[in-house]
Amino acid sequence: MRKTCGDVLDNLKGDCYQILVEDCVPVLKRYAKEGQTFDYVINDLTAVPISTSPEKDSTWEFFRLILDLCMKVLKQDGKYFTQVSSNQTEVLPKCEIHLSEHYKTPRIGVC
């Protein structure tokens, strides 16, 4: 990792950041219950599912759970980052529709 990020991960907590390496679901639920919000939420947990036809208890359900929890702790003008593989371009519109229907998303961008 040093070649990628230098010594940034030597300290998982700084004056204005904390990197958590643990199960995100209970942590996000706790923060949401406490009303704690963040400028940035980086989801490195999972990529957008490959399937375009969601089924109950599918990867899409899990993705929605994580997304819903992340949106609860994201400040109104905050930024949410997740990963999408280059071969998943046909599911991006589905993800964008879900975001626009359920959250106040002024702009959705792809990097």
Side-chain angles (χ1 to χ4, degrees), residues 12-36:
L12 298 180
K13 189 172 184 176
D15 293 337
C16 61
Y17 74 92
Q18 182 176 2
I19 299 170
L20 302 175
V21 183
E22 58 186 284
D23 186 350
C24 71
V25 174
V27 172
L28 289 168
K29 284 181 177 180
R30 184 180 77 236
Y31 286 155
K33 184 178 178 182
E34 294 170 355
Q36 189 166 355

Side-chain angles (χ1 to χ4, degrees), residues 12-64:
L12 298 180
K13 189 172 184 176
D15 293 337
C16 61
Y17 74 92
Q18 182 176 2
I19 299 170
L20 302 175
V21 183
E22 58 186 284
D23 186 350
C24 71
V25 174
V27 172
L28 289 168
K29 284 181 177 180
R30 184 180 77 236
Y31 286 155
K33 184 178 178 182
E34 294 170 355
Q36 189 166 355
T37 58
F38 301 92
D39 297 318
Y40 297 93
V41 174
I42 302 170
N43 173 3
D44 192 29
L45 175 67
T46 187
V48 173
I50 294 172
S51 169
T52 56
S53 57
E55 301 169 9
K56 190 170 176 76
D57 299 322
S58 70
T59 307
W60 272 105
E61 290 299 317
F62 181 68
F63 176 75
R64 281 191 207 105

Side-chain angles (χ1 to χ4, degrees), residues 3 6-7 24 80 85 88 95 104:
K3 197 171 189 179
D7 63 356
C24 71
Y80 174 76
S85 298
Q88 295 175 307
C95 185
K104 294 180 181 179

Side-chain angles (χ1 to χ4, degrees), residues 46 54 84 92 97 104 111:
T46 187
V84 177
L92 284 177
I97 289 168
K104 294 180 181 179
C111 299

Side-chain angles (χ1 to χ4, degrees), residues 84-97:
V84 177
S85 298
S86 61
N87 64 349
Q88 295 175 307
T89 54
E90 56 188 61
V91 299
L92 284 177
K94 182 171 188 51
C95 185
E96 291 173 355
I97 289 168

